[in-house]
Amino acid sequence: MLNPQLALYDEELTEIREVADRLHQDSRARTILIVDKNGQLIAASGVDAELDTTSLSSLVAGNVAATGGIAKLIEEEEFTGQYHEGKEISVHMTIVARRIILVVLFDKNTTQGLVRLRVKKANEALTGIFDALAAKPKGAQEDVFKEITDEDIDNLFGP
Amino acid sequence: MSFINYSAREINFKVVYYGPGLCGKTTNLEWIYKVSKPEAKGKMVSLATETERTLFFDFLPLDLGEIRGFKTRFHLYTVPGQVFYDASRKLILRGVDGVCFVADSQDARMDANLESLENLRHNLEEQGFNLDELPYVVQYNKRDMPEVLPVAELSPSLNPTQVPEFEAVAIDGTGVFETLKGLARQVIQKQRGS
Ligand SMILES: Nc1nc2c(ncn2[C@@H]2O[C@H](COP(=O)(O)OP(=O)(O)O)[C@@H](O)[C@H]2O)c(=O)[nH]1
Ligand SMILES: [Mg+2]
């Protein structure tokens, strides 16, 4: 299947968060989001309480999917990045390891040039992490879901 | 596909409401949004035209609670129903964990239902999925309308494989949670590996 299930453990998540934090600092951006292509947020740095990261992740993924569709129609290989300039905040999006979207929100505190430069470094680091993850043998860790009973599922919806 | 975060102890699933235009997909999500507790739901995002027709998708993140210490989160999506939005529908099916087919029970919409169902099967195949192997439920919506076909008549053509099916009146919530629950159950069972 095109998108095998993504399972992340402490080890990788710590590494991914470190990349996000480093990028956040080095690029002087406001916010870094690392989003799965299906729209699920994996990690973030520099998020304030007002930012609705769940909606943002879904919309970013929709946007990337749509431009990917456009690329296919005009027989371009996937666009690897996108940039939207706003009055206050601009958005920079990059596809990493073909299944992750690296999103940078930044303002006048930095420049597009610096953001690009730092994104390139972060991209390499993340590619390493996700490639290693893809090569990792499955099932080495606990699988809590094997033990779920029908009763557990019923309880989800309350009485 | 599901995303398990062992560090935050949460699991995310993506489910899609599919069906012909105006069958009530968006209305299902609106009802779920309306009655869910504030702490269980995120914002509902609708990418719609000025006349409130779904243009790209509706999106609603919903926490169903915990299973064995894992937060279980569903991302609900709807597709735009009109025939000409096919490219968008394909994109939304990517990485899907389960599908609800919403049928419009009205006699006059039978052809539209059948066309949409065929389109679902075809688009899933393009993404490498087989509808028969995917968590899947059927909802017969708009049961309150005057010219509806009996379920006994709808079921053989719209649900030939006899997956769980539900009657609904999405505008007043009838059958909406039963449908979601039926789908969520299958999605989680599949995760368990049965
Ligand atoms: N009578 C009736 N109307 C419904 C029902 N469900 C949806 N509708 C109405 O049908 C129209 C289309 O619904 P919508 O959810 O936008 O359809 P979608 O295109 O599948 O997203 C709206 O005017 C709804 O209020 C239902 O169960 N009964
Ligand atoms: Mg709609």
Side-chain angles (χ1 to χ4, degrees):
Chain A
M1 222 161 278
L2 283 173
N3 275 315
Q5 175 180 283
L6 182 62
L8 292 175
Y9 300 92
D10 283 334
E11 194 188 324
E12 293 93 21
L13 271 161
T14 308
E15 289 174 11
I16 294 167
R17 272 195 218 107
E18 275 168 18
V19 175
D21 286 339
R22 205 178 315 134
L23 177 59
H24 182 224
Q25 277 198 346
D26 292 353
S27 67
R28 301 206 300 269
R30 280 201 183 196
T31 306
I32 310 296
L33 299 180
I34 295 173
V35 180
D36 165 54
K37 257 193 181 177
N38 294 329
Q40 289 148 343
L41 181 67
I42 295 171
S45 183
V47 172
D48 58 42
E50 279 122 74
L51 191 66
D52 181 351
T53 53
T54 309
S55 300
L56 197 58
S57 300
S58 156
L59 288 169
V60 161
N63 187 348
V64 166
T67 39
I70 295 170
K72 216 170 149 193
L73 281 180
I74 60 171
E75 293 180 2
E76 177 64 49
E77 249 195 75
E78 193 163 53
F79 299 119
T80 49
Q82 279 187 57
Y83 174 61
H84 301 290
E85 192 175 333
K87 243 196 206 134
E88 296 288 332
I89 300 183
S90 298
V91 187
H92 190 285
M93 298 181 241
T94 319
I95 297 172
V96 175
R98 299 183 55 222
R99 67 171 303 171
I100 302 299
I101 308 162
L102 174 57
V103 185
V104 183
L105 306 183
F106 64 95
D107 55 23
K108 302 251 149 53
N109 228 334
T110 182
T111 63
Q112 199 202 342
L114 181 64
V115 168
R116 270 181 180 231
L117 191 72
R118 299 306 183 194
V119 160
K120 216 173 145 196
K121 262 181 83 179
N123 187 343
E124 282 163 17
L126 287 172
T127 303
I129 297 169
F130 282 98
D131 283 353
L133 183 69
K136 196 168 166 173
K138 253 198 95 181
Q141 303 252 3
E142 54 166 343
D143 189 352
V144 281
F145 294 94
K146 281 223 163 60
E147 275 141 44
I148 288 175
T149 62
D150 286 341
E151 211 188 332
D152 287 331
I153 299 175
D154 281 334
N155 286 341
L156 266 187
F157 287 85
Chain B
M1 285 287 100
S2 59
F3 164 38
I4 311 179
N5 186 331
Y6 282 93
S7 184
R9 300 197 83 71
E10 63 178 45
I11 181 159
N12 294 270
F13 298 105
K14 173 178 180 175
V15 300
V16 173
Y17 284 71
Y18 211 92
L22 299 178
C23 67
K25 302 175 290 294
T26 300
T27 309
N28 264 271
L29 260 62
E30 284 170 345
W31 181 266
I32 294 166
Y33 180 78
K34 191 172 148 194
V35 302
S36 294
K37 292 194 201 103
E39 64 272 21
K41 66 189 173 193
K43 212 182 271 166
M44 177 158 167
V45 175
S46 288
L47 299 182
T49 65
E50 281 178 12
T51 53
E52 310 233 331
R53 302 293 302 270
T54 306
L55 176 64
F56 193 6
F57 57 76
D58 304 302
F59 167 69
L60 176 62
L62 191 69
D63 278 342
L64 288 190
E66 287 197 357
I67 292 190
R68 310 243 158 169
F70 265 74
K71 218 188 265 171
T72 310
R73 180 170 296 156
F74 277 75
H75 286 181
L76 313 181
Y77 284 84
T78 74
V79 297
Q82 288 129 295
V83 175
F84 56 88
Y85 286 131
D86 201 38
S88 305
R89 275 194 294 279
K90 287 181 195 173
L91 296 177
I92 294 155
L93 283 176
R94 284 207 191 145
V96 70
D97 293 300
V99 176
C100 170
F101 182 79
V102 181
D104 189 326
S105 300
Q106 298 176 95
D107 194 2
R109 297 299 287 162
M110 196 55 187
D111 287 347
N113 288 329
L114 287 167
E115 190 182 350
S116 176
L117 186 58
E118 206 177 287
N119 177 256
L120 167 63
R121 190 170 277 282
H122 174 81
N123 283 345
L124 281 171
E125 271 165 19
E126 263 187 30
Q127 310 287 328
F129 292 110
N130 179 349
L131 182 58
D132 300 328
E133 290 163 11
L134 208 63
Y136 175 50
V137 298
V138 175
Q139 179 187 77
Y140 305 111
N141 190 34
K142 302 203 181 182
R143 297 310 297 168
D144 61 317
M145 295 295 278
E147 311 255 309
V148 297
L149 294 170
V151 170
E153 211 169 304
L154 292 165
S155 186
S157 34
L158 296 178
N159 188 10
T161 54
Q162 287 300 296
V163 296
E165 53 186 17
F166 304 89
E167 294 186 44
V169 182
I171 36 164
D172 70 13
T174 306
V176 168
F177 270 95
E178 287 79 356
T179 306
L180 175 62
K181 190 172 173 174
L183 184 56
R185 173 191 304 277
Q186 284 186 48
V187 167
I188 297 167
Q189 278 169 347
K190 178 143 194 218
Q191 182 70 40
R192 177 175 69 189
S194 63

